[in-house]
């Protein structure tokens, strides 16, 4: 049954099809113009928009079949993976903890206490310029979820916008403190120039706990 299949695949569709959102909606509407997706098109975050479309489509078999057909036609590779390998399911946040390497601590020298205070209170965010490279690490480590990733990569395209989005993450009660601490440390290490330290290898300054 289409509803059962869509329910099983719902998180994969929402999280792994964001770059095809417009195509999926277009294909969906081509199938049946009576299907009302107007309100969903106002949702800026495409992960949330696709989740809304899935919820709408789970209401009956016809809508579920239409959405499954739209995914098959717009993203055949994902559709085949879901058939052959099954769904991954909803992405869960990992709480990988990081610390500075000894080399990083030596480089920071007497500014190390100031660095740690700034990481804890987020005051260094006013002076950062490198965000995307740090976000790449957060994505690889699953410290941020697909909707947060979309917000940082696609909705907020300027550094100032990304910093505002990161501040929102830090204020969000559903983001665990362990994740916030790792996110702050990664950002700080990628922006050591804010502390008067310059490096071409920020990756080499972090290690997992």
């Amino acid at each position: 049954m289409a509803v059962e299949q869509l329910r099983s695949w719902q998180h994969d569709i929402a999280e792994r099809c964001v770059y095809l959102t417009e195509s999926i909606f277009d294909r969906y509407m081509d199938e049946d113009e009576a299907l009302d997706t107007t309100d969903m098109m106002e949702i800026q975050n495409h992960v949330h928009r696709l989740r809304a479309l899935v919820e709408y489509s789970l209401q009956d078999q016809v809508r579920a079949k239409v959405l499954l057909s739209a995914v098959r036609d717009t993203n055949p590779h994902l559709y085949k993976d879901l058939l052959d390998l099954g769904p991954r399911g909803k992405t869960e946040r990992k709480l990988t903890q990081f610390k500075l390497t000894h080399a990083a601590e030596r480089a920071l020298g007497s500014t190390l206490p100031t660095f740690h205070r700034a990481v804890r209170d987020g005051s260094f965010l006013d002076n950062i310029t490198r965000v995307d490279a740090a976000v790449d690490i957060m994505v690889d480590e699953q410290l941020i979820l697909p909707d947060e990733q979309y917000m940082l990569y696609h909705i907020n395209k300027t550094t100032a916008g990304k910093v505002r989005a990161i501040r929102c993450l830090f204020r969000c009660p559903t983001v665990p403190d362990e994740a916030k601490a790792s996110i702050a440390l990664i950002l700080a290490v990628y922006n050591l120039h804010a502390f008067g330290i310059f490096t071409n290898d920020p990756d080499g300054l972090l290690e997992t706990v």
Side-chain angles (χ1 to χ4, degrees):
M1 300 287 281
V3 167
E4 285 71 20
Q5 186 176 37
L6 179 57
R7 183 172 289 112
S8 174
W9 292 1
Q10 60 180 312
H11 299 300
D12 292 78
I13 291 171
E15 295 179 359
R16 299 168 67 185
C17 289
V18 290
Y19 61 97
L20 292 168
T21 303
E22 303 294 346
S23 297
I24 288 173
F25 269 80
D26 288 345
R27 183 73 180 82
Y28 192 88
M29 294 303 296
D30 286 345
E31 286 288 324
D32 188 345
E33 293 182 359
L35 298 174
D36 185 9
T37 62
T38 305
D39 290 344
M40 298 173 215
M41 297 303 290
E42 301 296 321
I43 300 173
Q44 194 175 18
N45 191 308
H46 284 199
V47 177
H48 296 166
R49 188 187 295 185
L50 285 169
R51 287 199 195 284
L53 182 60
V54 169
E55 288 297 321
Y56 177 76
S57 302
L58 283 170
Q59 293 175 18
D60 64 50
Q61 294 291 339
V62 173
R63 295 179 194 172
K65 286 181 68 175
V66 169
L67 181 52
L68 290 169
S69 295
V71 172
R72 181 195 61 214
D73 293 345
T74 57
N75 197 341
H77 297 296
L78 174 61
Y79 194 88
K80 185 175 186 303
D81 279 351
L82 291 171
L83 285 175
D84 294 346
L85 305 175
R88 293 180 187 171
K90 189 174 185 180
T91 300
E92 299 293 336
R93 193 191 309 274
K94 293 182 180 178
L95 301 180
T96 306
Q97 296 293 285
F98 291 88
K99 65 178 181 179
L100 295 174
T101 62
H102 292 308
E105 291 180 343
R106 285 196 302 271
L108 283 161
S110 61
T111 64
L112 187 59
T114 301
F115 175 87
H116 283 308
R117 281 196 301 273
V119 170
R120 285 194 300 271
D121 64 24
S123 57
F124 73 97
L125 290 173
D126 293 331
N127 301 309
I128 69 174
T129 57
R130 297 182 66 193
V131 179
D132 285 350
V135 171
D136 289 344
I137 301 298
M138 298 172 206
V139 171
D140 290 344
E141 296 292 338
Q142 285 182 219
L143 285 165
I144 58 175
L145 299 178
D147 58 329
E148 298 161 351
Q149 178 183 339
Y150 190 88
M151 176 177 65
L152 286 165
Y153 278 140
H154 301 287
I155 296 177
N156 297 284
K157 296 186 177 181
T158 66
T159 299
K162 293 176 192 294
V163 170
R164 284 194 298 272
I166 289 164
R167 290 188 190 278
C168 287
L169 278 182
F170 287 162
R171 291 194 298 269
C172 180
T174 63
V175 180
D177 290 341
E178 297 91 336
K180 292 175 183 177
S182 291
I183 290 168
L185 183 58
I186 292 168
L187 279 166
V189 164
Y190 271 81
N191 288 276
L192 282 178
H193 58 272
F195 303 92
I197 308 294
F198 298 89
T199 176
N200 293 321
D201 182 28
D203 290 342
L205 302 179
L206 284 172
E207 61 184 5
T208 54
V209 174

